[in-house]
């Protein structure tokens, strides 16, 4: 059975969500989780009914770890669970330095760098949240041992 990899980059106003399968980014979207349903904005492949989810969490806590970002992440994961089966333990929290190093080989990545890199795997990219989510999903694929294509 094949399992999707879903990256989530939650933000205060919007979030990025891509779907990866077998080393390829199939679909991605910029979602406004307070007014949009993430599953409606993505193109879901047939024959896949499980997923691993990689969600970015703040590097060092602080003000970003409170409020809207965590609520947005929780809401997105709940929306995704309504679309596809995500088993307990399949939601992984990822710090920015970890996915940046794993996906790009460096921790020093600007939002523009992320957008340029993500466009190699998915076009169009509609926001920096979507770009970073594509790279978070790519990191998840690498963690699962899939070759990126």
């Amino acid at each position: 059975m094949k399992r999707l990899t879903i990256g989530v980059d939650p933000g205060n106003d919007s979030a990025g969500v891509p779907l990866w399968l077998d080393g390829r980014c199939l679909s991605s979207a910029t979602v406004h989780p307070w007014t949009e349903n993430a599953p409606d904005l993505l193109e879901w492949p047939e024959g896949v009914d499980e997923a691993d989810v990689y969600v970015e969490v703040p590097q060092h806590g602080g003000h970003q770890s409170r409020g809207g970002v965590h609520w947005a992440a929780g809401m997105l994961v709940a929306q995704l669970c309504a679309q596809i089966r995500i088993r307990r333990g399949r939601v992984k929290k990822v710090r920015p330095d970890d996915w940046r190093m794993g996906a790009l080989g460096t921790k020093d990545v600007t939002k523009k760098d992320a957008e340029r890199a993500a466009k190699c795997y998915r076009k169009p990219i509609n926001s920096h949240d979507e770009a970073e989510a594509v790279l978070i999903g790519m990191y998840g694929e690498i963690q699962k041992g899939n070759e990126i294509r």
Side-chain angles (χ1 to χ4, degrees), residues 95-117:
R95 297 195 184 282
D97 281 355
D98 294 336
W99 71 256
R100 289 175 183 148
M101 184 60 90
L104 301 174
T106 180
K107 295 178 185 178
D108 299 322
V109 178
T110 66
K111 293 190 184 302
K112 289 287 183 199
D113 293 336
E115 287 177 18
R116 276 192 294 273

Side-chain angles (χ1 to χ4, degrees), residues 30-82:
T30 297
V31 180
H32 299 89
W34 307 112
T35 59
E36 297 173 318
N37 187 20
D40 294 343
L41 301 175
L42 297 162
E43 299 168 26
W44 294 87
E46 292 186 28
V48 179
D49 61 356
E50 282 193 38
D52 295 314
V53 180
Y54 290 79
V55 180
E56 183 184 75
V57 295
Q59 187 69 32
H60 302 294
H63 74 281
Q64 295 176 347
S65 66
R66 295 187 299 262
V69 175
H70 279 322
W71 283 102
M75 183 177 286
L76 280 169
V77 171
Q79 289 176 0
L80 294 168
C81 285

Side-chain angles (χ1 to χ4, degrees), residues 85-147:
R85 190 166 84 186
I86 301 170
R87 292 182 184 202
R88 188 176 302 187
R90 295 276 184 202
V91 177
K92 317 260 192 269
K93 297 175 185 172
V94 182
R95 297 195 184 282
D97 281 355
D98 294 336
W99 71 256
R100 289 175 183 148
M101 184 60 90
L104 301 174
T106 180
K107 295 178 185 178
D108 299 322
V109 178
T110 66
K111 293 190 184 302
K112 289 287 183 199
D113 293 336
E115 287 177 18
R116 276 192 294 273
K119 285 180 181 176
C120 294
Y121 305 101
R122 181 75 188 154
K123 293 179 183 176
I125 297 290
N126 298 307
S127 70
H128 70 270
D129 290 321
E130 187 175 338
E132 290 186 345
V134 166
L135 298 176
I136 292 166
M138 184 173 99
Y139 168 81
E141 282 288 282
I142 292 168
Q143 295 301 301
K144 290 167 60 174
N146 291 333
E147 182 180 334

